[in-house]
Amino acid sequence: AATPRPHTAPVKRFLEPLGGERAAQAYRAAIECGGAVSLVLPTRSVGVATNAKHRAQLAVLDRKAGSAQDVVADGAPYVCEAIKVLALSDDQAATASSVRLPDGLDVVEAEVHVEFVSKGVDKATALRKVLGDEMLRTATVAMGDGHNDAAMLRAAHVGVATANATEAAKTAAAAVSAWTNEGLCVARELDALLGLPRRSRLQRWRDAYAEERRKYAAAHPGAANKWLHAVLSPVEWVAFLAVLRTWSRAAVWALQACVCLGTAAARPPSTLWLPPPPPA
């Protein structure tokens, strides 16, 4: 639906901390819940753990978020910067209903925690502030899977919940996808909305390879690399045709060899190469 621009610096639209008093109240309420606490700061997250159970809860949150947070025994020095405060819990619904909520704060259930945020602040509010109310209501597609996505799914023109979403998200959405957020839910739903034909595995790999070649060429504009790619490109396309016609193991490995030769000179050491699809 959009062309990524990886070299463009991200723009910070708005970032509003809870504020000193509200953040302190949210932190105290989260501590009273009895589990680990995570403080979401403008540039990082800080987990507060005092025992093995708390550290295990933070590890689960890290796996779901895909990034590690700093772990400390006392989060008080970081509270003033907090944008939101997370209280980790084994029973999010019970925690959200039993927590003593200070004035000016809302509590929202999530997958493995509850979130303390400023009253009236949610994903719908954020999109409305960035896009404007009319565009949100008439020209926006939103996809989500959790309690904290419900307001956004209700506000968007088209709200789609994943197959493994919470009941709150499914109720708020206009449609429920047949796919989960662990697969290709977003890609397939956008293909369906835009009426795009479904691509084969070979086409997806070929497109990904072409995008890698484009990035390498942009990052390494040297004459040697240009000549190397120009010479090997016809060989690569012949190998692609062979894969399309025969789909043999030998053709797949011949294609992989051409790919490796064509990018070995320009490939950064940290690059993870895309493996070819397995033969049928």
Side-chain angles (χ1 to χ4, degrees):
T3 302
R5 292 179 292 176
H7 300 297
T8 303
V11 177
K12 187 182 293 183
R13 296 288 186 177
F14 59 93
L15 199 60
E16 299 174 1
L18 282 169
E21 183 57 32
R22 278 186 301 179
Q25 291 175 337
Y27 180 64
R28 287 194 293 270
I31 291 293
E32 289 176 3
C33 293
V37 175
S38 179
L39 303 172
V40 180
L41 310 181
T43 57
R44 61 187 177 128
S45 294
V46 174
V48 182
T50 56
N51 55 48
K53 179 182 177 182
H54 291 174
R55 287 190 287 274
Q57 289 176 324
L58 290 174
V60 172
L61 181 63
D62 287 348
R63 285 196 297 272
K64 289 189 174 295
S67 60
Q69 56 189 311
D70 301 329
V71 179
V72 299
D74 181 14
Y78 309 94
V79 168
C80 60
E81 301 178 60
I83 299 167
K84 61 181 178 181
V85 178
L86 315 183
L88 280 75
S89 171
D90 297 328
D91 189 343
Q92 299 81 40
T95 301
S97 61
S98 63
V99 69
R100 292 185 297 174
L101 197 62
D103 292 338
L105 291 175
D106 274 338
V107 62
V108 181
E109 293 178 47
E111 250 183 309
V112 296
H113 61 273
V114 296
E115 301 180 358
F116 294 91
V117 297
S118 297
K119 188 174 286 294
V121 172
D122 53 36
K123 294 183 181 182
T125 305
L127 286 177
R128 193 171 287 112
K129 190 165 185 176
V130 173
L131 301 174
D133 187 63
E134 183 176 356
M135 180 170 286
L136 179 61
R137 289 187 294 103
T138 62
T140 302
V141 178
M143 300 184 193
D145 65 343
H147 285 77
N148 57 353
D149 296 316
M152 173 184 68
L153 295 173
R154 279 192 296 268
H157 177 58
V158 178
V160 181
T162 62
N164 60 335
T166 63
E167 287 304 316
K170 290 179 179 179
T171 302
V176 177
S177 175
W179 298 283
T180 71
N181 58 1
E182 297 173 355
L184 297 173
C185 175
V186 173
R188 286 175 169 169
E189 289 296 338
L190 288 177
D191 282 352
L193 286 167
L194 298 172
L196 299 177
R198 186 174 178 181
R199 297 178 300 163
S200 68
R201 296 175 67 185
L202 179 62
Q203 288 172 322
R204 293 198 299 272
W205 185 59
R206 183 189 63 192
D207 293 346
Y209 166 65
E211 176 63 14
E212 290 297 313
R213 281 284 300 274
R214 185 195 65 76
K215 289 191 290 186
Y216 293 149
H220 303 82
N225 285 330
K226 288 183 179 179
W227 279 107
L228 185 61
H229 290 169
V231 169
L232 288 175
S233 288
V235 181
E236 293 165 5
W237 281 110
V238 169
F240 270 124
L241 291 175
V243 171
L244 285 170
R245 292 181 65 84
T246 65
W247 199 250
S248 66
R249 185 179 296 273
V252 170
W253 286 110
L255 174 60
Q256 179 73 346
C258 291
V259 165
C260 291
L261 286 173
T263 58
R267 187 174 63 179
S270 60
T271 301
L272 291 176
W273 187 248
L274 295 170

